[in-house]
Amino acid sequence: MKINFPNGTADLDPSQPLIVLGANGSGKTKLCLEICDLNKDAVAVVSGYDAQNFDLNRELGSARGDMAIRALVSGLNAILSRILINKKLAFDSGSVCVSDVSGGAEVLYPLNRLSDGEKGMVFYAYKTLVLKPESVLIADEPELHMRRSVCSKLWDRLEALRPDAAFIYITHDMDFAVSRNSSAALKVGSYSVDENGNERWEYEFINTDDYPEFDKSALYEILGGNGKFILSEGTKESLDYMLYSEIYGDRGFSVIPCGGCQQVMKIMRAKKRRGLFENMEIYGVIDRDFRSDAEILELSEDGVFCIKVAEVENLFLVPELLRIMQIQLGCESDALANAEELIRSIYGAEILKQAAEAFKIELNKKIGKINFIDGKLGSKDVEEYIYSEFSEEKIRSLFESKKRLYSDAKTIDDVLRIFNYKDLSKRIGSKFGLGGGDYPKRVINLLKNDSGAREKIISAIAPYLPAFGDDARPAKRL
């Protein structure tokens, strides 16, 4: 389907909805309105804001009682039947209304008593039904006022209803964008108006299949963002995301959670290898875990940087922050000392387990270095490698080195740098009069609420984080 764009024409595939991405102020909505103007009646634009002022009865006009209109309402009910539970559209005194049987008996009431999300469903269903054949429907913020699951289900049905139409979505909900299951994207770079009043856009069509290393949600975030990103482990519910969003957000970075550290590494290595997004600042930030200094240095060459403690949970336990929280929570003067003593006590009981886990991980890495590619490595080669790298002497030496590493950790900083124990940040709360996992939550809330403690907390944690760009904060040693 050929459609006019400001800088030329483009072929839209009705089976591949087009996802429009771009930073705030890049002119996404203006671009789509321009596309509508350039294509006259072949393109229609619907907005989540327009949905709130939509009046179906006014739209139907004086003809609302005839058979055609009844067929249209029947079509709307067919679309909405699995979404509007216990509700459907009906006629009362010649007007369309809502029939609600959620209480058992049928109750009729006006359309304006529907929730904002329900009004949006009716609006989008109607606009899709009356869309001209083989035309384009642009939906601007279709997720507005709707739960994500409901929004996705609605647009699934609308797309299936109109296979002849091409759908274009402008959305800030990357999960909804991913749910469209499309490889077609449009990155809007900038919008400007010259001295003569002529509007100009910079935009680029993207095939997301060209980025197989990227999780699609992360790719959409990058394409639609401000050009400065931190790729982290975890999800948007994880401590990584919540903490880094507050600290790196102050420096202009958007944080994109990618799940595990392997996915962060995969994306950053692909970026370096393929020369992708070179005009952007993108860094990976992951836990140190059991990595050696040599491994950390090697990762940094790919743009992946480790925090200066073993796990993100340990950032909540650094002495500088414990001191601040003792004051913020109004604790006794010995709370800090008691907290540090608890850290040492738990660490002391776990030293052998930690050393054994580090030893096991090191062995697995050595095994992983055996190259079986193309079957060129024979059994004799494997045997020689095993005898060489896993001799009794080397095994004993490796294990003893791990034991020394953990036994030699004396200061709290030394312990936090190598101690992988996720519950530690939760257990510390008891020394501050808090239960369960409340301690990390209190730290996050103080950061979010922009309290007087916010800058103090950031200053306490920042030295344990990688610094990027113009940030000149002092960093803790690895």
Side-chain angles (χ1 to χ4, degrees):
M1 182 184 298
K2 258 192 198 314
I3 295 296
N4 295 318
F5 277 72
N7 302 340
T9 61
D11 282 317
L12 299 186
D13 182 353
S15 70
Q16 294 284 311
L18 183 66
I19 310 299
V20 180
L21 304 163
N24 289 335
S26 60
K28 299 184 297 295
T29 297
K30 287 185 174 68
L31 173 62
C32 288
L33 292 174
E34 178 70 9
I35 293 169
C36 188
D37 288 343
L38 291 172
N39 293 276
K40 305 304 179 185
D41 294 336
V43 175
V45 178
V46 293
S47 163
Y49 297 98
D50 294 338
Q52 304 314 305
N53 300 315
F54 177 67
D55 184 333
L56 181 60
N57 282 304
R58 184 173 64 235
E59 193 80 16
L60 297 176
S62 58
R64 60 188 172 218
D66 64 23
M67 293 301 294
I69 297 305
R70 289 185 177 274
L72 179 59
V73 171
S74 177
L76 290 172
N77 280 328
I79 296 170
L80 302 171
S81 60
R82 297 179 189 175
I83 305 172
L84 284 175
I85 307 301
N86 295 321
K87 296 178 184 178
K88 66 178 182 179
L89 303 181
F91 284 94
D92 183 38
S93 302
S95 294
V96 180
C97 63
V98 180
S99 168
D100 190 336
V101 295
S102 55
E106 181 183 43
V107 176
L108 299 178
Y109 55 79
L111 291 168
N112 60 15
R113 284 180 53 188
L114 287 171
S115 70
D116 288 344
E118 290 169 333
K119 289 176 184 175
M121 296 176 207
V122 173
F123 171 69
Y124 292 131
Y126 173 78
K127 290 296 186 181
T128 304
L129 271 177
V130 300
L131 188 68
K132 292 185 177 181
E134 299 182 352
S135 55
V136 177
L137 184 68
I138 301 175
D140 190 0
E141 295 194 61
E143 72 275 14
L144 203 63
H145 301 300
M146 275 191 245
R147 293 198 316 274
R148 184 178 301 138
S149 59
V150 171
C151 185
S152 296
K153 186 185 295 185
L154 173 67
W155 287 99
D156 283 347
R157 302 203 74 180
L158 297 181
E159 288 175 21
L161 178 73
R162 296 300 304 269
D164 63 306
F167 288 79
I168 299 177
Y169 297 102
I170 309 173
T171 177
H172 295 102
D173 186 333
M174 296 302 103
D175 290 325
F176 171 73
V178 171
S179 76
R180 298 304 84 217
N181 194 29
S182 173
S183 60
L186 179 69
K187 174 178 171 49
V188 182
S190 65
Y191 165 76
S192 61
V193 181
D194 65 21
E195 58 186 13
N196 297 317
N198 298 311
E199 296 177 301
R200 299 183 184 279
W201 288 268
E202 289 185 8
Y203 58 83
E204 177 186 4
F205 288 93
I206 302 287
N207 184 342
T208 60
D209 288 342
D210 292 337
Y211 301 81
E213 304 91 349
F214 288 69
D215 172 83
K216 189 172 282 188
S217 180
L219 179 60
Y220 282 161
E221 293 277 7
I222 291 171
L223 293 174
N226 62 1
K228 296 181 67 174
F229 304 98
I230 300 294
L231 307 186
S232 75
E233 300 181 67
T235 66
K236 289 189 175 180
E237 288 73 47
S238 301
L239 290 176
D240 317 57
Y241 176 78
M242 291 187 283
L243 185 63
Y244 299 162
S245 290
E246 296 301 324
I247 296 177
Y248 286 114
D250 277 2
R251 310 173 202 180
F253 286 93
S254 298
V255 179
I256 304 175
C258 298
C261 62
Q262 293 298 325
Q263 184 60 21
V264 175
M265 295 178 204
K266 181 180 177 182
I267 291 174
M268 293 306 298
R269 284 168 179 160
K271 176 186 179 299
K272 178 183 177 183
R273 185 180 70 254
R274 298 174 54 192
L276 302 172
F277 308 122
E278 292 185 325
N279 61 332
M280 299 184 185
E281 286 189 67
I282 306 178
Y283 307 99
V285 175
I286 62 175
D287 292 352
R288 179 188 175 102
D289 291 325
F290 292 94
R291 295 181 176 89
S292 67
D293 290 347
E295 290 174 297
I296 290 170
L297 180 60
E298 185 178 352
L299 284 171
S300 70
E301 293 172 355
D302 290 327
V304 179
F305 300 86
C306 293
I307 59 178
K308 277 69 173 179
V309 293
E311 300 175 326
V312 67
E313 289 81 2
N314 289 5
L315 291 172
F316 294 84
L317 305 172
V318 298
E320 298 90 335
L321 179 59
L322 293 177
R323 191 172 294 110
I324 292 168
M325 294 306 291
Q326 175 183 264
I327 297 170
Q328 287 296 314
L329 297 172
C331 300
E332 297 294 331
S333 59
D334 61 352
L336 171 61
N338 291 337
E340 291 185 342
E341 181 56 36
L342 178 62
I343 293 172
R344 289 191 176 93
S345 174
I346 295 174
Y347 178 72
E350 293 286 326
I351 282 180
L352 278 180
K353 288 183 182 178
Q354 292 284 307
E357 184 65 19
F359 171 71
K360 182 181 74 174
I361 289 172
E362 190 70 25
L363 289 181
N364 286 335
K365 289 175 184 175
K366 287 180 177 294
I367 294 173
K369 291 179 180 179
I370 303 176
N371 187 359
F372 292 97
I373 294 175
D374 298 329
K376 293 180 179 178
L377 198 63
S379 58
K380 183 173 177 57
D381 299 314
V382 175
E383 184 180 355
E384 289 177 356
Y385 179 83
I386 294 294
Y387 276 115
S388 170
E389 294 297 321
F390 297 92
S391 66
E392 183 177 347
E393 181 182 349
K394 285 190 175 181
I395 291 295
R396 185 184 300 111
S397 174
L398 178 60
F399 186 61
E400 289 301 320
S401 72
K402 297 302 179 185
K403 284 171 62 178
R404 282 195 304 275
L405 173 68
Y406 285 88
S407 297
D408 289 348
K410 304 301 181 185
T411 68
I412 294 298
D413 272 352
D414 288 341
V415 169
L416 297 178
R417 183 171 60 90
I418 59 176
F419 193 19
N420 289 267
Y421 193 86
K422 290 190 178 297
D423 285 343
L424 192 57
S425 64
K426 296 178 181 177
R427 293 181 62 177
I428 210 74
S430 63
K431 301 304 176 183
F432 294 96
L434 301 174
D438 284 350
Y439 173 74
K441 294 176 184 176
R442 287 292 186 94
V443 175
I444 295 294
N445 287 340
L446 284 170
L447 280 169
K448 285 184 174 180
N449 294 337
D450 199 21
S451 65
R454 176 182 170 84
E455 280 305 314
K456 294 178 182 177
I457 292 173
I458 291 176
S459 294
I461 296 176
Y464 297 85
L465 294 173
F468 306 115
D470 298 328
D471 197 311
R473 297 175 189 267
K476 287 283 181 176
R477 68 175 178 83
L478 286 175

